[in-house]
Amino acid sequence: MAKEELLEFEGVVTEVLPDGHFRVTLDNDHQVLAYAAGRMKKNRIKTLVGDRVTVEMSPYDLDKGRINFRHKTGGAPPPGAPQRRPPPRRR
């Protein structure tokens, strides 16, 4: 088995833990402890409770994983969020 063979699962973040760890419930109702990948830390991608994520896991330890992608939500902005307006036109 090659080193690069990782399993990818999708799930939802259910709990934010200290030190950059998260508890993620996968689509098959399995809970894992996951951490944010370095690429996500570098680009300052915030992960909150309820976010849909993709988790990479080793086939040897199915209780731990690495979050490597946070899916964008397709919904409208939350109520009360300021609306963006285009800058005023110059004359």
Side-chain angles (χ1 to χ4, degrees):
M1 183 174 278
K3 181 179 177 183
E4 294 84 25
E5 291 185 28
L6 297 173
L7 305 173
E8 284 194 354
F9 297 101
E10 289 191 15
V12 177
V13 175
T14 55
E15 187 178 0
V16 178
L17 301 170
D19 202 28
H21 286 79
F22 304 91
R23 186 153 325 272
V24 178
T25 302
L26 302 177
D27 290 342
N28 58 5
D29 292 332
H30 186 73
Q31 285 197 345
V32 297
L33 182 66
Y35 65 92
R39 179 181 68 159
M40 293 183 66
K41 292 178 187 175
K42 177 184 167 192
N43 294 321
R44 295 190 177 110
I45 297 173
K46 303 293 182 200
T47 306
L48 301 173
V49 173
D51 286 346
R52 190 137 184 86
V53 294
T54 300
V55 179
E56 283 185 348
M57 297 170 58
S58 167
Y60 299 109
D61 188 4
L62 297 175
D63 291 331
K64 297 178 185 172
R66 175 177 57 223
I67 298 174
N68 64 351
F69 189 79
R70 180 178 60 88
H71 298 277
K72 293 184 180 184
T73 58
Q83 293 185 359
R84 296 201 46 169
R85 294 186 178 177
R89 295 179 58 172
R90 293 188 174 192
R91 296 181 193 205

